[in-house]
Every structure is written in structure tokens, then in C-alpha cells.
Amino acid sequence: MVALSRFDDNPCHARHFKPPPCAPVIRGTAAEEALETGRTRVLVTAALFVLLFAVIAGRLFDVMILGGGIEAPRAGQRPIPLPSRAPIVDREGRLVATSLKGVALYADPREIRHPADVARELARALPGASPEHFAQELSQSGTFVWLKRFLSPREEARVNDLGVPGLDFLPAERRFYPYGPLLAHAVGYVNIDDKGLAGVEGGLNRDLLGRRQPLQLSIDVRLQYILHHELRRVAQEFTAKAAAGLIMNVNTGEILALVSLPDFDPNHLDAPDPDFPKATLKDRLFDRATLGSYEIGSIFKVFTMAMALDSGTVTMASRFDATNPIHIGGFTITDYHGKHRPLSVPEIFAYSSNIGAAKIALACGARLQQEYLRRFGLLTQPTLELPEVGSPHYPRDWRPINVMTIAFGNGISDTLLQLARAASALVNGGILRPATLLKVPPGYAPQGRRVISEETSLRIRKLLRLVVEYGTGQFAEAPGYVVGGKTGTAERVERGAYARHSLRSSFLGVFPMEDPQYLILTMFDQPHGNKKSHGFATAGWVAAPATRRIVERIAPLLGVAPVDEKSPAVAGALAIASLKGKGIAPY
Amino acid sequence: MRLSAIFSLILVAATGFATFGVKYEVEGLLAHLARLESERAADQNQIAVLRAEWNYLNRPDTLAALNERYLSLVPVTAKQLDAQIADIPMRETAVPVAAAPPPAAPALADAGTAPEAGRPAKVKTIGELVASLTLAR
């Protein structure tokens, strides 16, 4: 208005009145040129502003309508954050290994003003670590040190409350094993970077990564506990140096329990085993059930019998003279408690006669023995979902002396896993199936191959039952559950020779014998006789009673109903015809 | 002409507002969803922790120690399992429920397995009755 009034003093003029130019326009003059320049400048400036507003409008459109390049949260497309390792559960769904989310604590030592004070406060906030440890870490020269790789939410809050600058957290995950040492060798453990190193964690490391569903094992925590508890108890009672055992379903090959002692706590590998304080970490990590191969002793006679009966070399009525020891190539084969008379095949087995077994094997010959042992999977490395699977050891030259000693389980070593798997095939009707630590769906029997006939399998069952009824395994009798089994006492090899009083006592137990379902194989390393066992440390005194207690406790859990073993249905099915209704003289 | 211009202007403004409205609503929902998802992840983590703790507290050796201290239960022996409940027969003639004493009837009716009044019982043995009761649960 003020500017306008300069040109037009009359307020009554119409608004659109165009004031006359202040100077007459004369073409071609300097004034006109100056005006032209002014116009061009206005135009350029206007164009610039238009461009600027266009950019702003464009950006507004972009921000408001198109989202402006800011990542909007998308439903369904974002993966739900998962633990990087799938949990592991037992056959009943109990959680045996799981990954927990938490935080890791790290520090930038340059930002820590008083390392000694901070270390002391940290040690108070995080129990289980010394102030010296933190002080040492905090005095390092770098810009990053780990202080603790996993903190529980509670610990995280405590460290936060310290309010120390220079300490910070990173998201972290830790593997946790709720059952501690109970499933040590079966489940295994992981290293600090969450890589599986042993057990199923190691063997199925790849499958566990990037898996949503929990991995279900064939192990049953309850059976595992009973086996673990009993092995520990008996190992203590007889001051054994080590022990191992497994429970297997003979019809599916599932391993229901797998124990090796001394063992370890996968949560704290360094914590010593309270019952075996002298055991080293290496000793505790060693899996005696699947990795260690041992001369198992007389349990091996069951394979000798299966070979001899299945090939037709001997019958149940055959007799062999066990009066005198066998002398061959500087060795003497004797019986532990010899009967010094001719023995029938069932007697040889029930009294565990080495002489008789050696003679039976000799009658079969080396080739047949090798063929059958190979068929039973005792000469090859088995498969299992663990990295710790041992190989058998056997002589390269299979001479007659080897034939004879192998007949009673000396001069050949196998893992407990192999022995349990082969023995399962002998009692389940003759089908050898791969052993597994993963649950087999109910009602499904994995593919197997026939290794002996059904008739031979039935004879083996009768022989195993005879051992517990009359023979060396009488302490394994669990009334009602019709246990069958075979003792095995081997002298341990020490400094290249058999040590007379350093034993390995084991027992193979199967129940119920009229319809075999479950197999229990236990082994005790260097047990020592005590007053209760009258100084004996042999399998019949150590491993057989342990098997009885295990059977009595697990049978109700497995739904095996007790039966009357004297009833005609049971006794008749397991009677040996050649004994003509009588038993044999008790061992 | 002028009317249509005004009309279309109003229309443009209206659709513009509507579009913005929907857009912001969607953004709000997405933010809500993201929050729910993160809450769910936290809950899942919490469940994992609790499951681990539950299994830790239910270790067989802990239970055995607690049992020793408070209950002194012992494992079942074969002798206790000698006779199965299924071995016990029911009475020869089925008893109509009407004749049964009244206090027992409501409990059975709750389980949903009591035969209707007047009709003979379908179950033959106690074992079968027990089995049907467990199934009904």
C-alpha cells in the first residue's frame, strides 16, 4: 500500500489501475536494456523457486505417500527371531538341552577410569568370578574385552545398576542343559561359540542349526536316571574305576539310556565328578559306552552259541568234554569254576565254560566264525548319531588260538554299543537293526536284515534264561520279569599281559524272556570285591545284581507286567527240550 | 462449470484425506504388530527360560531327595502288580443306577460315563470302567 501510494495518491482509484511508468520507454535505450535485464533476473529467480518448490513437493509426496524410503514394519515378512540351535527333548518331551537368550558383557578398557574398583564391583554383581580376573581383563590395552559371555537377566540388571561407563552388553545365547551330568555323553555339549562338540550336539550339529522343531531323542530321562544311579551306586560299592551301560529296545534299536562314568556336567565341563574325584577331564569326556572297545569276556559266548546253533554245527543236545584245560601254543584255557566233566551245550553256556566254548568254536572253524561275527556287525564300525563311535579290534591272522579265545570273548574288543545291537538281533527273532538315539515312531520297526533264523533266536532266549535260572547269572533274577542274561568277566590287559586280579565285569540282561523287549548291558571297570560279595568282583556278583535292580525299577515304567515264571505258558515256552523237563545243577 | 470445479476440488480433498487417514491407520497397525511381535519374542524367550527351569527343578535326583525327605515312597515291586485291576470282574448282573446308593451317582454323572437310569450298565469289568473314565477325562 505504501509503495502504491507513491504512484497514486488518489485512494478512489480502482485497485487494478496500472500506474504509469515513471519514465517513458524509449526502445533501444540503456533504460530499456536495464529493464530487460531486470525481467530476465526475475524470471530466472522465479524458475529457481519453482524448481525448489517442485523438489519439496516431490519429497513431501515421497515421504507421505510412498513412505519416503523409511523401512516400515512389514507383517509376516519379518522372521520371528529364533534360537540359533533347536532344543533337544527326550522321548517324553522333557527338555534336555535348550538355548537361552541373554546378553554378553564387554568393556572398552580405555573408558574405565578405576579398573580395580570396577573389578571389585563386578565380582560382587556376578558371583562365580574373582575380582582378579576382571582386573586383569580390564587392564588390557585393546578397545574391546569380553568380561562374561552370558549373563542371566538378573545379572544384567545388577551390572546395569552399577552404572559404570565403558561397560556394555551384546545379545548372546547360551546352551543350557537342565539335567546336568545325567545325559552327559548322550547329549554332549557345545563350545563357547555354540558349536556342538560331542554327543548328539556334535553328531547332529548341522541338523540342530536352523531347525524349528525340537529334536526328539530315544532316551527316556527316567530310565537314564535309574541306569545312571545304579551304575554310580555299584561303582561306589565295589570301588570300580569306571562304569558304562545302556538300555536298548531290542525290536527297534532305540537306545533308551546311555551312561558312561565318570561323566561331566555339560554346563560346567571343569567341575569334577564328585564320585570319581581323581578322574581327569579327558577321562570324564571319554564315552565308554560307544567309543571305548573292550574285551567283554564270556558275554561273547552268546555269539558263539548263535553261530554254532544257526549253522547247525551243534545242537542243544551236543556234548563237549570240559574235563581238562586246553593247552595250545603256550596258552592254557581253563574254566573259572570248572565242572571237570563232559558238558552239554546248555551247561557250557550256563556255567560259562571257556573250554566248552573254545571247542564249539573250533568245531565251527575260523571262516564260519568270521562270517557270523561280520554278520552280527561285530567286525565293523557301527553307525550312531554321535561323533564318538569306536571301531572293533580283532586279530589280522585268525589262527586256531584266536578262534578259541574269541569264542569266550578274549582277543577281540567291541564297543558296548555293538554288543548290545548284535545281542538284540539274537533275541528279537534274528533281525539286526541299526542302533539309534532318535525316537522311532510307535508301531514302526526300522528296516533290518536277518542274521539268524527265528528258531535259533528262540534257542538263544532259552539259553539266556537258563543262565539266570541256574547258571552264573542267578543274582540277576527279578521275580516276575523273566530276566535272561549272560555274565562276562574279563581280565584287563595291563602292560601287555592279562592281569589276574584286575577285572572288567559286565552283564548282558534281557527281559521279559518269553517276549524280549528290552536289553540292559552294564560294564564295571576294575571292581574290587568286598565283604558283602565275599571278596568276589566277578560279573555274577557285581553286574548281575545291578541288572536285577535296574529291571525291577524300569519294568513298571516301561509297562511290562510281571508274570508268574513258573506258569506253563512262560516256563513251557522257555523249556529246553534236551533237558527233558529237568533243569541243570545250579552253578 | 464452476460448480463442477468446486465439486471436484472437494472430491480431491476428500480422497486425499481419506488416503492419508488409511495410510496412517495402516502405519499404526504395523507399529502395533511389530510391538506385539517383539512382545511375543520376549514371551517365547521367557517361556523357554521357564521350561528350562521347570526341567531343572524336576531333575530325578532332586525329586528323589525330596521324596526321601518328605514322602519316603519306594519303587513299585512286582508283587504289588501281581493282580491287574482289569482282572477283577464286575458283578454278574448289572445293577441299574436307580438302585445304586445316591451319593455315588453324582460323581459318576460328572465323569459323563454313568449309564442312564433304568438301563443296564454297559461296562463289564472294573478295568473297563476305569479305562472309560480315563478316556472321558
Side-chain angles (χ1 to χ4, degrees):
Chain A
M1 257 314 153
V2 179
L4 201 67
S5 58
R6 277 254 237 54
F7 300 106
D8 178 18
D9 291 333
N10 184 3
C12 297
H13 271 303
R15 280 280 173 270
H16 58 269
F17 171 78
K18 196 178 171 192
C22 33
V25 179
I26 302 143
R27 297 201 176 267
T29 61
E32 194 195 2
E33 267 172 37
L35 202 66
E36 206 46 45
T37 317
R39 275 203 188 120
T40 319
R41 281 181 187 162
V42 168
L43 209 72
V44 168
T45 317
L48 259 170
F49 273 96
V50 165
L51 209 71
L52 217 73
F53 279 112
V55 167
I56 290 169
R59 178 65 184 147
L60 273 175
F61 182 80
D62 184 33
V63 166
M64 291 194 293
I65 310 296
L66 301 180
I70 300 156
E71 196 60 50
R74 294 269 150 77
Q77 287 178 8
R78 244 184 4 174
I80 300 153
L82 280 173
S84 53
R85 279 180 91 79
I88 303 175
V89 298
D90 87 332
R91 65 184 299 117
E92 308 285 338
R94 296 180 191 90
L95 196 64
V96 299
T98 186
S99 288
L100 296 182
K101 286 205 175 73
V103 292
L105 178 66
Y106 72 93
D108 182 350
R110 290 176 313 173
E111 287 186 36
I112 306 282
R113 292 260 178 82
H114 309 287
D117 294 348
V118 173
R120 210 171 322 113
E121 284 181 33
L122 275 177
R124 210 175 305 136
L126 305 172
S130 66
E132 290 79 31
H133 164 78
F134 289 127
Q136 197 195 337
E137 293 291 327
L138 289 173
S139 59
Q140 284 181 17
S141 55
T143 58
F144 182 97
V145 285
W146 285 120
L147 292 178
K148 195 170 181 205
R149 286 295 286 268
F150 188 86
L151 278 76
S152 67
R154 212 166 294 158
E155 290 174 324
E156 184 190 353
R158 277 206 295 267
V159 173
N160 246 334
D161 288 345
L162 296 180
V164 178
L167 299 181
D168 211 346
F169 303 106
L170 277 177
E173 244 181 48
R174 203 189 69 168
R175 204 68 167 158
F176 178 62
Y177 303 92
Y179 291 95
L182 187 55
L183 293 113
H185 291 93
V187 172
Y189 59 94
V190 296
N191 67 5
I192 195 131
D193 293 317
D194 238 15
K195 184 178 186 298
L197 291 186
V200 173
E201 293 269 34
L204 297 177
N205 189 38
R206 284 244 194 107
D207 300 65
L208 284 165
L209 296 166
R211 189 190 154 98
R212 242 163 214 281
Q213 294 301 316
L215 184 77
Q216 192 157 35
L217 300 183
S218 58
I219 302 270
D220 185 322
V221 164
R222 295 172 303 171
L223 307 190
Q224 178 81 12
Y225 169 69
I226 292 167
L227 182 65
H228 190 258
H229 183 73
E230 193 58 37
L231 288 182
R232 227 167 233 283
R233 215 181 60 78
V234 174
Q236 287 282 297
E237 192 182 336
F238 293 93
T239 56
K241 249 184 113 179
L246 54 89
I247 302 176
M248 189 182 250
N249 181 331
V250 299
N251 295 312
T252 61
E254 286 172 291
I255 296 172
L256 303 178
L258 179 90
V259 176
S260 167
L261 296 176
D263 58 16
F264 57 91
D265 183 347
N267 297 309
H268 315 280
L269 288 186
D270 298 325
D273 189 327
D275 292 338
F276 302 89
K278 274 186 251 163
T280 60
L281 179 63
K282 201 178 148 204
D283 207 21
R284 290 186 288 124
L285 292 180
F286 186 76
D287 191 340
R288 289 173 170 76
T290 63
L291 184 58
S293 58
Y294 304 100
E295 289 182 305
I296 204 68
S298 304
I299 289 177
F300 224 80
K301 284 175 190 148
V302 72
F303 304 114
T304 305
M305 290 295 172
M307 158 186 75
L309 291 169
D310 195 60
S311 63
T313 313
V314 303
T315 66
M316 293 289 252
S318 304
R319 299 178 85 79
F320 290 85
D321 187 11
T323 314
N324 299 311
I326 303 173
H327 299 282
I328 177 169
F331 288 92
T332 307
I333 296 171
T334 56
D335 285 351
Y336 186 67
H337 273 169
K339 294 278 173 191
H340 305 293
R341 62 175 170 88
L343 298 172
S344 68
V345 166
E347 284 174 321
I348 288 172
F349 194 65
Y351 303 148
S352 201
S353 163
N354 294 340
I355 301 167
K359 287 189 171 172
I360 289 174
L362 215 53
C364 293
R367 274 191 55 194
L368 200 66
Q369 192 177 36
Q370 276 174 311
E371 190 205 309
Y372 267 93
L373 294 185
R374 195 171 295 282
R375 221 193 268 182
F376 296 154
L378 292 169
L379 302 185
T380 48
Q381 192 183 23
T383 58
L384 194 68
E385 296 85 359
L386 305 175
E388 299 90 6
V389 178
S391 302
H393 299 289
Y394 50 89
R396 205 174 295 164
D397 308 324
W398 210 286
R399 289 170 299 145
I401 173 75
N402 301 118
V403 172
M404 290 207 248
T405 61
I406 286 171
F408 52 86
N410 273 35
I412 185 165
S413 29
D414 278 293
T415 61
L416 295 192
L417 171 71
Q418 279 178 297
L419 294 163
R421 174 175 172 240
S424 293
L426 300 192
V427 295
N428 72 4
I431 310 290
L432 184 74
R433 294 193 176 86
T436 180
L437 271 169
L438 300 182
K439 188 180 180 179
V440 172
Y444 168 79
Q447 191 75 36
R449 68 190 150 83
R450 178 161 292 283
V451 290
I452 55 167
S453 67
E454 267 185 59
E455 297 79 64
T456 311
S457 175
L458 180 61
R459 287 189 193 112
I460 294 294
R461 284 184 219 170
K462 292 174 176 177
L463 288 176
L464 288 170
R465 177 68 191 142
L466 194 71
V467 172
V468 175
E469 258 185 314
Y470 301 103
T472 53
Q474 289 175 47
F475 287 139
E477 176 76 315
Y481 296 117
V482 206
V483 181
K486 181 76 194 81
T487 52
T489 308
E491 288 166 5
R492 299 174 76 251
V493 176
E494 280 178 3
R495 291 187 287 276
Y498 286 105
R500 194 90 182 85
H501 293 291
S502 182
L503 302 178
R504 186 176 292 116
S505 301
S506 27
F507 191 81
L508 166 78
V510 182
F511 77 98
M513 257 359 255
E514 77 276 15
D515 174 26
Q517 308 260 330
Y518 302 102
L519 175 147
I520 302 158
L521 183 56
T522 51
M523 181 202 72
F524 297 91
D525 204 7
Q526 291 182 59
H528 300 94
N530 57 26
K531 224 179 232 170
K532 242 170 87 190
S533 74
H534 310 290
F536 287 110
T538 51
W541 284 94
V542 177
T547 303
R548 172 181 64 83
R549 284 189 291 267
I550 294 168
V551 169
E552 281 176 348
R553 289 198 64 186
I554 69 172
L557 295 179
L558 291 166
V560 177
V563 294
D564 177 12
E565 51 276 86
K566 298 282 182 295
S567 71
V570 177
L574 293 169
I576 295 170
S578 63
L579 298 178
K580 300 189 183 71
K582 292 177 286 181
I584 56 172
Y587 177 67
Chain B
M1 176 63 197
R2 186 165 291 179
L3 204 71
S4 75
I6 289 168
F7 180 72
S8 34
L9 242 149
I10 290 170
L11 207 69
V12 164
T15 44
F17 273 113
T19 314
F20 273 108
V22 169
K23 186 180 148 54
Y24 284 119
E25 197 179 330
V26 168
E27 260 172 28
L29 286 174
L30 284 174
H32 184 57
L33 182 69
R35 204 166 54 242
L36 287 181
E37 268 177 6
S38 76
E39 273 175 23
R40 182 171 69 152
D43 285 349
Q44 275 176 340
N45 193 33
Q46 192 59 38
I47 290 168
V49 171
L50 290 173
R51 274 194 60 176
E53 194 168 347
W54 173 255
N55 281 275
Y56 176 74
L57 294 173
N58 275 295
R59 280 167 305 156
D61 45 347
T62 319
L63 295 185
L66 289 174
N67 169 50
E68 213 164 279
R69 200 162 146 200
Y70 296 111
L71 300 172
S72 307
L73 298 175
V74 291
V76 177
T77 61
K79 218 167 171 52
Q80 290 165 292
L81 298 171
D82 248 4
Q84 308 268 311
I85 197 155
D87 298 338
I88 305 165
M90 282 293 243
R91 261 159 73 166
E92 278 298 313
T93 48
V95 188
V97 166
L108 275 174
D110 282 349
T113 50
E116 284 164 43
R119 281 226 225 130
K122 275 184 200 143
V123 278
K124 288 275 161 11
T125 65
I126 291 177
E128 280 173 43
L129 181 67
V130 169
S132 67
L133 279 173
T134 6
L135 278 178
R137 235 172 266 150

